[in-house]
Amino acid sequence: LFLIVVAVASWIWGQFVQHGSKRRGLATVIAILLIAFAYGYALEKELDWRHPAEVAATGVKKNKDGISWEPWSTEAVAQAREAGRIVLVDFTADWCVTCQANKKSSLEIASVRQKLKDLNVVALLGDYTREDPRITEELKRFQRAGVPLVLVYPKDSTAEPIVLPSLLTPGIVLEALDKAAGQTTALKR
């Protein structure tokens, strides 16, 4: 997005400021405003490039305000389930548009973060950006061709995980967490 807006601003500059004779001032202002908007929106707001997320050696990005994700492994799931904890697993990738939309709209939001905290949920992140073969096997196990795949393992270690749909809403996530905790709710989707 940033590069597209810069290209448009450059075209306006070339057409109307360098080659044009009328309205050079207006074209200059528009080009500068476009570049300022692109910088503010893409680099500062969306990428937050001045405050990059801390990336652990495992590749899991740690945000101070977000969910405390731990790296996914079958062992981590088994260990949390043995302890009688609910487990949320998000198989995701940086290049997956649906994964990023799910994260912004339904996972990394205040109500879900609070529910995870209230239920003492273990949140595991399976980063498929570089196509980890262990995650490929897990995707096949749940009959998925690729990411996103979000699973909620109930407290009951003998129960099967709840497989969430590819496109999430906050209601779907909260309802699955309540179901995993043994609570029943009638949430609006």
Side-chain angles (χ1 to χ4, degrees), residues 143-157:
Q143 291 135 9
R144 292 285 176 96
V147 290
L149 172 61
V150 180
L151 305 170
V152 178
Y153 288 87
K155 274 186 175 185
D156 176 6
S157 62

Side-chain angles (χ1 to χ4, degrees), residues 43-170:
L43 297 180
E44 292 292 339
K45 181 180 181 289
E46 290 300 315
L47 293 177
D48 194 20
W49 71 277
R50 292 177 190 264
H51 307 97
E54 177 187 325
V55 179
T58 59
V60 175
K61 295 174 184 169
K62 305 257 184 189
N63 260 340
K64 64 179 179 179
D65 299 330
I67 296 172
S68 295
W69 295 103
E70 296 298 326
W72 170 84
S73 69
T74 54
E75 296 81 19
V77 172
Q79 185 178 25
R81 292 196 83 194
E82 284 174 15
R85 294 181 67 189
I86 299 169
V87 182
L88 171 70
V89 179
D90 181 19
F91 293 107
T92 185
D94 289 345
W95 44 259
C96 173
V97 176
T98 307
C99 301
Q100 301 310 314
N102 284 341
K103 182 173 74 172
K104 284 188 175 197
S105 71
S106 304
L107 292 174
E108 288 283 353
I109 61 172
S111 58
V112 171
R113 285 194 304 263
Q114 187 61 48
K115 179 65 79 172
L116 294 174
K117 186 177 177 182
D118 292 346
L119 297 175
N120 194 23
V121 175
V122 176
L124 302 176
L125 186 73
D127 188 355
Y128 197 58
T129 302
R130 293 193 175 95
E131 299 186 13
D132 184 335
R134 297 174 309 141
I135 295 174
T136 302
E137 287 303 312
E138 203 71 5
L139 292 171
K140 287 178 185 175
R141 181 175 152 219
F142 290 98
Q143 291 135 9
R144 292 285 176 96
V147 290
L149 172 61
V150 180
L151 305 170
V152 178
Y153 288 87
K155 274 186 175 185
D156 176 6
S157 62
T158 61
E160 288 295 313
I162 301 165
V163 180
L164 302 185
S166 294
L167 194 56
L168 300 175
T169 65

Side-chain angles (χ1 to χ4, degrees), residues 20-57:
S21 57
K22 295 181 181 178
R23 301 188 190 240
R24 283 185 172 175
L26 179 63
T28 301
V29 169
I30 290 172
I32 290 171
L33 286 175
L34 282 172
I35 289 180
F37 166 76
Y39 172 81
Y41 179 76
L43 297 180
E44 292 292 339
K45 181 180 181 289
E46 290 300 315
L47 293 177
D48 194 20
W49 71 277
R50 292 177 190 264
H51 307 97
E54 177 187 325
V55 179

